[in-house]
């Protein structure tokens, strides 16, 4: 299907502002009479708050002091449930838990004041590991430390063991990962009798913040307003946590009667906000003599930290992705999210799938080795095809050719030749650099799982003004991924206009409808489709009015809008998500159509390992994926390139060092992400099999690259060194030890 | 309360204009630019000199403004992102970033563009290794650096074509 | 930004003599502040207890690189960028140039100074092993006069140095004798750029008639201060660098001579193993 604007690399809508430094992020804003706010946090991982001491040498009468007692509504940051306090009142359950808020106009005095508050805590025994939590060394949450568990069953796993030629087991672990958006989190709040509560800030989901503030203040919908400022990266890290900062800033604003700005510095952001859930996955796999999967028994656990936040949903996605793009008649997945006394873990691009896909793809390479066939051969013999069912019972209704993707990725990366060459060079034992090449094959479901999109009931509005500009009103946020631009392209395509004529209204809950959160690889596919539909309806209204005729020019369109508006008033359209009738999901059995569509991918990583230092370098990377339709090639490639970079960080560089529930390497010096000299050329290739329900056929891609990057690298390292990699990050320290024992 | 410093007057040239402002002697130049001079284009990403989001040019050298005390800016010739475009005309690097996807969320972009502009002033025809090394002090979480390199290469190429 | 700025003072002395007078008048009260790449990080973290600083950044007496036939003298305020740009240094002191190129980033190299780095006394400093290998001498000045200290005895313990409260580092001097030596530098960091060293190895050796006539080995991040591996040098002096048995013995001695610890960035075990491996690389360079 020929498209005018879709499929073109239209320059980023807000590009000019970003390259000139005129884009306004929250810390660039200043309000008259504004105060700064800071948070005083728990020094202990768990305990009872005995007293709060305020040292003598601060002019406390000048400062605004807020504690839990100042909360007018419910003391919680409402999300799925309401277990997380806004401010700890009686007990603390993790280090750095917020207890006291302070505000003053002088930032420097405020820091002195923060130092001068001492929270006296009578410690209680705490739990810091998945093992201890499951063992119930202490019950720190609910009845049994378990936020949520799932049980997925397909076929009959137990029957398969007896007849299996081979059973391969393995245990795999992934660590926490900090989102490390370069713009730290922040909010400005203003509270007045007239306006209610208004917050401006760096965030992904204005309506999440809106709901949380309603409950915190006990105020109705129209008395809370949330505005998204230009956001410097999110990656999930600004999905739920901004509600906490918004709550804090608002409480201070309410008490002081002045606007209050809270900006976290990097150390506070790292130590206090959410991270990717650490995980542990156990696989037990039965295969035939020639490598056909007979049964997959998977046990998956994530560490959720001290409060539930989004752990059930992270667990859900990880669970559903745990068995990958393979046809296996018998699958069992038992999973659970457990509590520990660490700051709650949260959303990070991939959202449970990077954890289980790492385990699966590493495990399948080991299964192949046990069977005695090449890893690609094992995949080939088990790749799922149209008409077959995934682990949760979803019948694949898309045309999927995983083998074709894999062969293309191998051709582009020179996989076969390099495998031979590296194997020969490595065993010649001459040089100290060993090379490896490895891959991962995977899928990622776009949109909310199962009945999630139905529950979200997302809405989009559109308005054509008298001057012919078309304004898109959606709660979806731009944070670098290109929302503004692709929405403009989708609308421009449907309306046969140029992108310049399309405007994106700043996400502001006073003006835009709730389009659902900007997460879950849903913005292009689900919300983009609503944008497309809204444009189509708007056009229909104009046509029906008689002011617009076929074959219209941009000028005709403008004139038609002008005429319509003077005759009939505002020209608007409005769309609400309708769940496709043929998608069925059973929440009880956790089976059915998990996602409307999947992106399918094969990634190939080439590494060199310096055997003297165990330093790993990713030398080349090829990412091939089928995504329905590429709306904007530069933006889409940018998403994959950036995601692969984060995946490389996840695999090799990013290590959170924990000490009794606290991140101790909370500086950019010590928590290390890749620089421009650490990353290879990342080559990205798209295939397109249009998805009928996506705008112009587009599916979601935002999270996909986080799933396959780390396992491809892990498999490449295993090839290069003979080390059986079982956990990420693969630090040089661990790798050197493992290489030396492999040698011995 | 410990007392000590009074605020001092700092006079320097910022983006071609002579300015004087008041600041504590050890206030960060980053904060002086953003808060006293209202030049909010320069960003804080880490406060430790690790991310480069605060990068500016001081007397022609690329520096992290979060690590420069206000007192040391006295008499300096400073260029920030706001001084890169010429009037309304974008610099070749800025144009390239817009056309080739060098900016995603944009928070690292001002510092990245300062580093790129500074690199090209020192190496008008940089090779790939020089580009990577020249930008290695500027962290980007969104792009994986690919489109940033492509933008710099394009800016060099476009400058050549025009020359 | 966690420091209480009103408590911090900074003044610019008219010249070096005036600065030294100030420091002598109130010993320990005024401290030198050069490029700020270490001190400002502490300030921002709220971890800079010292409150009064003398801005020495523009003092001409501390700048410049002077070259004679026998030696090169670098002013304490020589930046890492200036080190890399200097022709003689690039040709004859490649380890120092490598260290400069691998410390921080372009922006920090424009502001980080050799003197500041020495006075900061981090055991992870990358220029330190290079300076040890080159037998650097440090010129220390005060209102009372000047003295020279071999860099090898400048650091006396973790963050302790042969520098009194009223003294300043004025220059660093290296002899132009090692140009013909084979030189080796390797920093193993947390990543390729802008990384704190996990371990740093600098070595130089002169090979005559197939034997190591003389050599110097220094390591960073394996002890409370930069370490010159004197015992390893003793073992290797006069030997054939390609001797496999020699390597094993030298690795054993090195393992015993260094005292690496576990910290946030790495482990003692890793550092020890890598040190041994880098020694092997160094010997390969000498054998080549």
């Amino acid at each position: 299907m020929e498209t005018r604007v879709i499929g073109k690399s239209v320059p980023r809508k807000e590009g000019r502002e970003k390259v000139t430094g005129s884009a306004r992020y929250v810390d660039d804003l200043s309000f008259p009479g504004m105060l700064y706010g800071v948070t005083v946090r728990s020094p202990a991982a768990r305990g009872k708050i005995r007293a709060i001491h305020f040292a003598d040498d601060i002019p406390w009468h000048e400062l605004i002091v807020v504690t839990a007692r100042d909360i007018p509504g419910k003391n919680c940051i409402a999300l799925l449930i309401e277990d997380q306090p806004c401010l700890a009142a009686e007990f603390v359950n993790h280090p750095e838990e917020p207890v006291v808020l302070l505000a003053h106009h002088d930032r420097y005095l405020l820091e002195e004041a923060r130092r001068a508050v001492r929270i006296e805590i009578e410690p209680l025994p705490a739990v810091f590991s998945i093992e201890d939590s499951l063992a119930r060394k202490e019950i720190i949450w609910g009845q049994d430390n378990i936020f949520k568990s799932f049980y997925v069953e397909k076929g009959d796993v137990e029957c398969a063991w007896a007849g299996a030629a081979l059973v391969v087991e393995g245990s795999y672990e992934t660590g926490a990962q900090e989102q490390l958006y370069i713009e730290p989190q922040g909010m400005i709040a203003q509270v007045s009798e007239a306006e209610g509560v208004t917050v401006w800030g760096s965030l992904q989901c204005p309506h999440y913040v809106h709901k949380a503030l309603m409950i915190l203040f006990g105020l109705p919908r129209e008395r809370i307003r949330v505005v998204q400022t230009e956001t410097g990266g999110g990656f999930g890290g600004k999905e739920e946590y901004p509600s906490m900062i918004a709550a804090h800033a608002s409480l201070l604003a309410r008490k002081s009667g002045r606007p209050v700005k809270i900006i976290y510095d990097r150390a506070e952001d790292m130590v206090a906000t959410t991270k990717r859930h650490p995980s542990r996955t156990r696989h037990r796999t039965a295969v035939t003599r020639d490598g056909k999967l007979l049964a997959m028994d998977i046990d998956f656990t994530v560490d959720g930290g001290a409060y539930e936040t989004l752990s059930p949903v992270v667990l859900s996605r990880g669970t559903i992705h745990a068995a990958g793009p393979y046809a296996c008649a018998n699958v069992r997945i038992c999973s659970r999210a457990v509590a520990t006394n660490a700051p709650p873990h949260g959303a990070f691009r991939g959202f449970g799938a990077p954890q289980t896909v790492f385990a699966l793809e590493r495990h399948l390479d080991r299964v192949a080795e046990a069977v005695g066939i090449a890893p690609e051969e094992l995949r080939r013999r088990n790749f799922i095809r149209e008409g077959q069912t995934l682990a949760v019972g979803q019948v694949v209704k898309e045309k999927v050719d995983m083998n074709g993707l894999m062969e293309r990725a191998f051709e582009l990366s020179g996989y076969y030749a390099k495998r031979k060459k590296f194997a020969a060079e490595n065993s010649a034992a001459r040089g100290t650099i060993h090379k490896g090449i490895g891959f991962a094959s995977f899928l990622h479901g776009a949109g909310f799982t199962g009945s999630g999109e139905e529950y979200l009931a997302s809405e989009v509005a559109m308005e054509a003004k008298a001057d012919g500009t078309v304004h898109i009103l959606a709660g979806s946020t731009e944070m670098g991924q290109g929302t503004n631009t692709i929405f403009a392209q989708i609308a421009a395509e449907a309306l046969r206009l140029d992108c310049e004529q399309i405007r994106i209204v700043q996400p502001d809950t006073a003006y835009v409808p709730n389009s659902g959160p900007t997460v879950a690889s849903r913005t292009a596919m689900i919300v983009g489709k609503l944008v497309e539909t809204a444009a189509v309806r708007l056009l229909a209204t104009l046509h029906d009015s008689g002011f617009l005729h076929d074959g219209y020019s941009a000028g005709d369109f403008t004139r038609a809008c002008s005429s319509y508006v003077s005759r009939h008033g505002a020209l608007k359209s409005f769309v609400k998500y309708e769940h496709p009738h043929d998608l069925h999901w059973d929440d009880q059995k956790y089976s059915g159509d998990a996602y409307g569509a999947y992106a399918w991918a094969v990634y190939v990583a080439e590494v060199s390992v310096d055997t003297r230092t165990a330093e790993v370098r990713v030398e080349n990377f090829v990412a091939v994926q089928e995504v329905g339709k590429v709306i904007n090639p530069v933006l889409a490639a940018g998403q994959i390139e950036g995601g692969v970079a984060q995946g490389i960080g996840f695999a090799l560089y990013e290590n959170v060092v924990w000490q009794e529930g606290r991140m101790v390497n909370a500086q950019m010096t010590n928590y290390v992400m890749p620089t421009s000299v650490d990353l290879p050329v990342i080559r990205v290739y798209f295939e397109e099999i249009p998805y009928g329900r996506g705008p112009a056929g587009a599916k979601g891609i935002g999270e996909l690259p986080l799933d396959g990057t780390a396992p491809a690298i892990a498999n490449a390292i295993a090839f290069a060194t003979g080390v059986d990699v079982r956990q990420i990050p693969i630090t040089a320290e661990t790798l050197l030890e493992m290489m030396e024992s492999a040698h011995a | 309360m410990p007392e000590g410093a009074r605020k001092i007057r700092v006079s320097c040239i910022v983006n071609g204009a002579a300015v004087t402002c008041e600041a504590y002697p050890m206030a960060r130049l980053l904060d002086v630019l953003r808060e006293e001079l209202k030049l909010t284009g320069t960003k804080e990403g880490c406060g430790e000199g690790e991310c480069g989001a605060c990068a500016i040019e001081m007397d022609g050298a690329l520096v992290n403004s979060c690590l420069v005390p206000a007192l040391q800016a006295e008499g300096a010739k400073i260029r920030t992102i706001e001084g890169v475009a010429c009037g309304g005309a974008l610099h070749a690097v800025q144009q390239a970033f817009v056309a080739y996807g060098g900016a995603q969320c944009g928070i690292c972009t001002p510092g990245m563009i300062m580093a790129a502009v500074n690199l090209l002033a020192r190496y008008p025809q940089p090779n790939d290794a020089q580009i990577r090394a020249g930008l290695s002090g500027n962290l980007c979480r969104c792009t994986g650096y690919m489109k940033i390199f492509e933008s710099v290469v394009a800016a060099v190429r476009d400058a050549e074509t025009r020359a | 930004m966690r420091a209480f700025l009103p408590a911090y003072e900074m003044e610019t002395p008219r010249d070096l003599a005036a600065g030294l007078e100030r420091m002598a008048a109130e010993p320990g009260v005024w401290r030198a502040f050069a490029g700020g790449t270490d001190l400002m990080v502490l300030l921002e973290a709220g971890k800079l207890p010292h409150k009064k600083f003398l801005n020495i950044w523009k003092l001409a007496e501390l700048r410049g690189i002077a070259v004679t036939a026998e030696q090169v003298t670098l002013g304490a305020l020589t930046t890492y960028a200036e080190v890399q740009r200097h022709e003689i240094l690039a040709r004859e002191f490649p380890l120092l140039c490598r260290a400069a190129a691998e410390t921080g980033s372009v922006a920090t190299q424009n502001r980080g100074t050799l003197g500041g780095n020495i006075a900061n006394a981090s055991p992870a400093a990358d220029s330190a092993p290079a300076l040890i290998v080159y037998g650097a001498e440090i010129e220390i000045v005060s209102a009372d006069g000047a003295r020279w200290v071999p860099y090898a005895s400048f650091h006396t313990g973790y963050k302790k140095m042969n520098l009194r409260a009223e003294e300043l580092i004025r220059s660093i001097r290296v002899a132009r004798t090692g140009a013909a030596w084979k030189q080796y530098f390797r920093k193993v960091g947390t990543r390729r750029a802008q990384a704190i060293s996990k371990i740093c190895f600098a070595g130089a050796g002169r090979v005559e008639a197939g034997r190591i006539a003389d050599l110097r080995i220094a390591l960073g991040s394996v002890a409370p201060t930069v370490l010159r591996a004197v015992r390893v040098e003793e073992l290797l002096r006069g030997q054939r660098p390609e001797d496999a048995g020699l390597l094993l013995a030298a690795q054993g001695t090195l393992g015993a001579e260094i005292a690496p610890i576990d910290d946030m960035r790495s482990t003692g075990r890793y550092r020890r193993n890598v040190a041994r491996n880098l020694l092997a690389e160094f010997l390969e360079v000498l054998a080549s």
Side-chain angles (χ1 to χ4, degrees):
Chain A
M1 192 181 82
E2 263 302 302
T3 51
R4 277 178 54 252
V5 168
I6 286 189
K8 307 276 190 300
S9 292
V10 171
R12 176 176 290 279
K13 263 259 180 231
E14 71 289 346
R16 199 191 163 94
E17 287 83 351
K18 285 175 173 173
V19 300
T20 54
S22 58
R24 308 278 274 165
Y25 301 81
V26 63
D27 197 24
D28 301 331
L29 303 178
S30 200
F31 290 40
M34 188 174 81
L35 304 177
Y36 295 96
V38 294
T39 312
V40 186
R41 299 173 177 279
S42 167
R46 185 167 177 247
K48 191 170 165 66
I49 298 175
R50 273 265 156 262
I52 301 174
H53 302 281
F54 296 83
D56 283 334
D57 55 348
I58 302 284
W60 294 109
H61 63 279
E62 278 182 33
L63 285 109
I64 307 295
V65 181
V66 162
T67 63
R69 282 197 291 271
D70 293 298
I71 295 171
K74 188 165 179 198
N75 180 8
C76 74
I77 302 297
L79 196 52
L80 300 180
I81 62 174
E82 296 175 4
D83 66 324
Q84 184 177 27
C86 168
L87 292 169
E90 240 194 296
F91 292 98
V92 295
N93 286 295
H94 65 81
E96 310 298 326
E97 184 161 5
V99 184
V100 179
L101 304 170
L102 305 171
H104 195 272
H105 61 81
D106 181 335
R107 271 196 297 154
Y108 307 118
L109 174 62
L110 196 56
E111 278 299 333
E112 285 292 281
R114 173 152 58 173
R115 276 188 276 269
V117 180
R118 186 169 61 90
I119 302 169
E120 190 190 326
I121 294 182
E122 194 181 285
L124 287 169
V127 164
F128 298 120
S129 69
I130 286 176
E131 288 68 33
D132 286 353
S133 184
L134 285 172
R136 304 189 191 177
K137 288 238 161 97
E138 287 294 318
I139 300 296
I140 60 166
W141 193 92
Q143 307 300 324
D144 55 7
N145 293 341
I146 297 187
F147 294 121
K148 184 77 180 179
S149 54
F150 290 113
Y151 183 79
V152 169
E153 192 162 34
K154 178 189 180 200
D156 189 341
V157 154
E158 288 304 323
C159 287
W161 305 124
L166 211 51
V167 173
V168 182
E169 295 189 5
S171 195
Y172 308 87
E173 286 177 28
T174 66
Q177 186 186 15
E178 161 56 38
Q179 296 85 349
L180 216 62
Y181 28 76
I182 303 292
E183 182 213 13
Q185 301 220 28
M187 285 280 166
I188 300 175
Q190 190 159 257
V191 177
S192 70
E193 263 312 298
E195 308 277 317
V197 178
T198 310
V199 296
W200 294 261
S202 189
L203 53 90
Q204 292 175 224
C205 312
H207 291 87
Y208 277 11
V209 179
H210 187 272
K211 175 186 160 189
L213 291 178
M214 277 173 62
I215 293 170
L216 185 84
F217 281 90
L219 285 174
R221 171 179 315 261
E222 59 282 1
R223 298 280 293 160
I224 308 280
R225 182 178 165 211
V226 179
V227 184
Q228 185 223 6
T229 51
E230 194 74 73
T231 296
F235 319 114
K238 294 174 182 172
E239 175 174 350
E240 70 266 45
Y241 199 83
S243 299
M244 177 73 76
I245 311 182
H248 291 170
S250 309
L251 289 170
L252 288 169
R254 178 173 177 266
K255 194 158 186 184
S256 63
R258 311 258 290 267
V260 174
K261 176 192 265 193
I262 295 181
I263 307 287
Y264 283 9
D265 65 17
R266 182 57 61 183
E268 182 170 22
D269 195 303
M270 289 222 228
V271 88
T273 70
T274 63
K275 301 199 183 7
R276 188 184 296 288
H277 288 61
S279 78
R280 190 189 66 189
T281 310
R282 295 198 175 109
H283 273 267
R284 190 163 183 243
T285 310
V287 277
T288 65
R289 197 164 306 281
D290 47 274
K292 290 277 303 160
L293 292 169
L294 285 178
M296 296 170 81
D297 198 1
I298 305 172
D299 188 281
F300 172 53
T301 310
V302 292
D303 174 349
Y307 299 108
E308 184 173 296
T309 63
L310 294 174
S311 293
V313 200
V314 171
L315 185 71
S316 160
R317 192 174 269 277
T319 302
I320 293 171
H321 287 73
Y326 306 105
C328 179
N330 309 294
V331 180
R332 175 168 63 200
I333 309 169
C334 293
S335 63
R336 69 218 52 84
V338 303
T340 62
N341 294 108
H345 298 298
F348 190 165
R349 203 169 177 185
F351 205 76
Q355 291 93 322
T356 52
V357 174
F358 166 73
L360 175 66
E361 286 302 294
R362 190 57 209 116
H363 185 68
L364 289 182
D365 264 32
R366 292 182 58 240
V367 171
E369 195 176 10
V371 171
I373 58 177
E376 60 270 18
E377 192 52 40
L378 182 81
R379 304 316 199 278
R380 209 171 275 136
R381 293 179 189 179
N382 293 284
F383 274 144
I384 200 160
R385 289 188 305 275
E386 192 179 353
Q388 295 182 307
T389 54
L390 293 163
V392 288
Q394 178 164 12
V395 176
V396 175
K397 294 201 187 116
E398 307 178 46
K399 286 200 173 345
V400 55
D401 179 9
M402 283 300 292
N403 194 52
L405 287 177
M406 190 170 74
E407 285 308 318
R408 186 166 177 219
F410 286 171
E411 198 199 307
L412 290 164
S413 59
Y415 175 81
Y416 294 113
K418 282 181 176 163
R419 243 185 112 83
K420 275 206 192 72
K421 179 164 182 265
F422 295 164
E425 286 172 358
N426 293 345
S427 65
R430 243 177 295 115
T432 55
I433 309 285
H434 283 201
K435 294 195 163 177
I437 189 161
F439 73 93
S441 38
F442 55 105
L443 80 180
H444 197 90
F448 261 41
T449 308
S451 37
E453 289 299 335
E454 198 171 10
Y455 163 75
L456 284 177
S458 302
E459 302 172 344
V460 164
M462 196 169 281
E463 181 172 1
K465 302 283 194 181
D467 64 359
T469 58
V470 178
H471 296 238
I472 301 178
L473 297 101
S476 302
T477 54
E478 171 67 60
M479 45 177 145
Q481 82 285 52
T483 303
N484 289 351
T485 311
I486 63 164
F487 279 5
Q489 286 177 263
I490 290 167
E493 186 74 43
L495 297 169
R496 280 190 27 227
L497 301 172
D498 284 333
C499 286
E500 284 71 40
Q501 216 162 329
I502 315 292
R503 304 288 148 79
I504 313 293
V505 173
Q506 181 181 23
D508 177 337
T509 57
Y511 300 111
V512 307
N514 188 346
S515 315
T518 309
V519 303
S521 309
R522 62 186 295 275
T523 302
M525 184 172 106
I526 304 283
V527 189
K529 185 66 180 176
L530 299 177
V531 170
E532 188 185 74
T533 308
V536 167
R537 287 188 188 169
L538 194 91
L539 201 58
T541 305
L542 261 184
H543 270 299
D544 293 346
S545 69
F547 291 123
L548 195 68
H549 308 287
D550 282 346
Y552 60 87
S553 68
D556 294 335
F557 183 89
T558 300
R559 278 182 287 277
C561 290
S562 175
S563 304
Y564 184 100
V565 170
S566 25
R567 175 77 69 84
H568 300 292
L571 172 53
K572 294 184 179 175
S573 70
F574 183 83
V575 181
K576 190 174 178 130
Y577 176 80
E578 274 164 31
H579 201 61
H581 294 301
D582 57 350
L583 290 180
H584 304 288
W585 174 256
D586 186 331
D587 255 322
Q588 300 317 318
K589 298 215 200 82
Y590 229 65
S591 73
D593 301 313
Y595 298 97
Y598 294 85
W600 309 86
V602 176
Y603 285 6
V604 181
E606 193 187 312
V607 303
S608 62
V609 182
D610 186 328
T611 55
R612 288 197 155 140
T613 61
E615 286 169 297
V616 178
R617 205 178 150 71
V618 182
E619 300 286 357
N620 278 299
F621 200 96
V622 165
V624 177
Q625 48 259 303
E626 190 284 300
V627 301
K629 175 76 183 172
V630 176
I631 296 177
N632 184 316
V634 162
L635 294 182
Q639 281 302 284
I640 305 300
E641 289 157 3
V644 168
Q646 288 178 355
I648 292 174
F650 186 38
L652 298 177
Y653 296 98
E654 298 181 43
N655 189 29
V656 178
V657 179
W658 295 102
Q659 219 170 73
E660 305 211 321
R662 176 183 277 103
M663 177 185 188
V664 293
N665 58 332
Q667 306 82 24
M668 276 198 168
T669 308
N670 294 317
Y671 179 86
V672 164
M673 65 163 264
T675 68
S676 56
V677 299
D678 295 296
L679 295 177
V681 172
I682 300 163
R683 292 155 58 206
V684 176
Y685 304 89
F686 292 111
E687 296 197 359
E688 295 172 310
I689 300 173
Y691 167 56
R693 297 191 174 115
K699 299 192 277 195
I701 65 166
E703 298 172 283
L704 181 72
L706 267 299
D707 292 349
T709 301
I713 292 170
N715 285 337
I717 292 173
F719 181 97
T721 60
V723 163
D724 183 3
V725 176
R726 298 291 191 101
Q727 74 183 49
I728 50 178
I730 303 156
T731 62
E733 286 72 18
T734 312
L735 187 59
L736 188 68
E737 248 181 79
M738 291 179 85
M739 287 197 296
E740 296 191 336
S741 15
H743 249 274
Chain B
M1 281 259 53
E3 266 275 324
R6 299 279 133 73
K7 284 192 177 176
I8 56 169
R9 309 196 87 217
V10 179
S11 298
C12 50
I13 301 185
V14 179
N15 299 329
V19 297
T20 301
C21 48
E22 292 212 339
Y24 288 112
M26 284 184 76
R28 302 180 306 179
L29 178 57
L30 171 66
D31 295 321
V32 173
L33 292 169
R34 288 176 56 79
E35 290 164 24
E36 301 304 314
L37 299 176
K38 310 293 183 211
L39 295 169
T40 57
T42 308
K43 308 296 182 193
E44 173 166 357
C46 72
E48 332 158 25
E50 280 291 313
C51 73
C54 69
I56 57 164
E57 274 182 333
M58 192 161 121
D59 297 325
L62 190 73
V63 301
N64 290 326
S65 60
C66 75
L67 297 184
V68 178
L71 180 139
Q72 288 187 341
E74 175 64 38
K77 195 160 155 248
I78 289 168
R79 179 158 73 152
T80 69
I81 185 69
E82 289 91 344
V84 169
C86 215
L90 295 182
H91 189 285
V93 170
Q94 289 171 308
Q95 279 183 50
F97 265 62
V98 176
Y100 295 93
Q104 286 191 27
C105 83
I107 196 77
C108 79
T109 304
M112 191 71 73
I113 289 179
M114 291 309 307
V117 166
N118 183 268
L119 172 72
L120 296 183
R122 290 179 292 124
Y123 301 101
Q125 318 251 293
N127 59 35
D128 282 345
Q130 284 169 325
I131 295 175
R132 277 186 194 262
L135 301 183
S136 64
N138 293 75
L139 298 180
C140 174
R141 194 51 159 168
C142 293
T143 64
Y145 307 101
M146 291 293 300
K147 303 250 174 286
I148 291 174
F149 300 146
E150 286 166 36
S151 300
V152 175
V153 168
V156 173
R157 193 180 58 226
D158 293 348
E160 277 172 18
T161 330
R162 260 182 271 121
Chain C
M1 174 46 183
R2 302 194 183 193
F4 185 65
L5 285 185
Y8 289 87
E9 290 179 57
M10 185 182 276
E11 291 179 8
T12 306
R14 182 179 64 250
D15 53 30
L16 179 61
L20 292 173
E21 283 302 326
R22 204 82 157 85
M23 290 169 79
E26 298 175 276
V29 170
W30 292 92
R31 277 185 59 179
F33 187 108
T37 54
D38 287 316
L39 294 175
M40 288 300 282
V41 177
L42 293 173
L43 179 79
E44 298 196 47
K47 297 201 168 120
L48 187 62
H50 199 88
K51 299 287 195 290
K52 291 182 181 217
F53 293 93
L54 284 178
N55 170 29
I56 60 170
W57 179 250
K58 288 253 171 71
L59 292 182
E61 304 95 313
L62 300 175
R63 287 204 171 274
I65 302 176
V67 180
T68 70
E70 289 86 33
Q71 61 212 20
V72 178
T73 305
L74 301 95
L77 289 178
T78 304
T79 66
Y80 289 111
E82 286 164 349
V83 167
Q84 292 174 70
R85 284 200 287 266
H86 197 271
E87 216 187 291
I88 306 283
L89 291 178
R91 236 195 350 261
E92 299 179 24
F93 299 92
L95 306 187
L96 191 60
C97 291
R98 284 283 304 278
E102 294 185 37
T103 298
S105 61
V106 170
T108 46
Q109 288 162 19
N110 283 330
R111 293 278 294 176
T113 63
L114 272 184
N117 195 245
I118 290 169
N120 186 55
S122 165
D126 300 318
S127 50
L131 292 174
I132 294 281
V133 165
Y134 292 137
E137 297 171 289
I138 313 295
E139 185 192 13
I140 296 167
V141 293
S142 68
D144 289 335
R147 61 191 180 96
W148 285 90
V149 174
Y151 181 61
S153 47
F154 179 78
H155 297 291
T156 56
Y158 178 69
K159 296 268 174 174
K160 292 209 192 82
M161 61 203 99
N162 187 345
L163 185 74
R164 290 193 290 275
E166 67 274 17
E167 291 181 314
L168 263 190
I169 297 170
R170 176 154 68 183
S171 61
I172 299 107
R173 184 168 73 191
V174 284
R176 294 175 72 178
T177 48
W181 292 38
K182 296 188 179 192
Q183 306 193 35
Y184 169 84
F185 181 90
R186 185 152 178 196
K187 165 181 171 173
V188 177
T190 48
R191 59 187 174 197
R192 290 265 150 149
Q194 261 209 143
I196 306 265
S197 224
K198 292 184 183 183
I199 180 170
C200 182
F201 187 114
R206 189 163 46 92
V207 179
E208 279 164 13
R211 289 184 179 272
I212 301 169
D214 201 1
L215 79 167
R216 303 271 185 283
I217 294 173
L219 295 101
S221 300
V222 296
T225 69
V226 59
L227 182 108
R228 181 171 165 190
V230 186
R231 282 186 261 149
V232 178
E233 289 177 12
E234 262 169 45
L235 192 85
L236 291 173
R237 209 168 268 116
Q239 305 297 328
R240 294 189 176 285
E242 71 280 3
D243 185 330
L246 179 74
L247 172 61
L248 278 171
Q251 285 175 326
T253 301
L254 182 64
E257 194 165 9
I258 61 178
I261 58 170
D262 292 348
D263 63 19
M264 219 180 295
R265 285 179 281 275
S266 189
T267 62
R269 189 176 161 152
Y270 177 81
R271 288 169 159 129
R272 184 168 270 111
N273 288 342
V274 173
R276 290 200 274 249
N277 292 342
L278 298 186
L279 179 62
E281 274 189 0
F282 174 52
L283 287 176
E284 281 166 16
V285 167
L286 293 185
S288 67

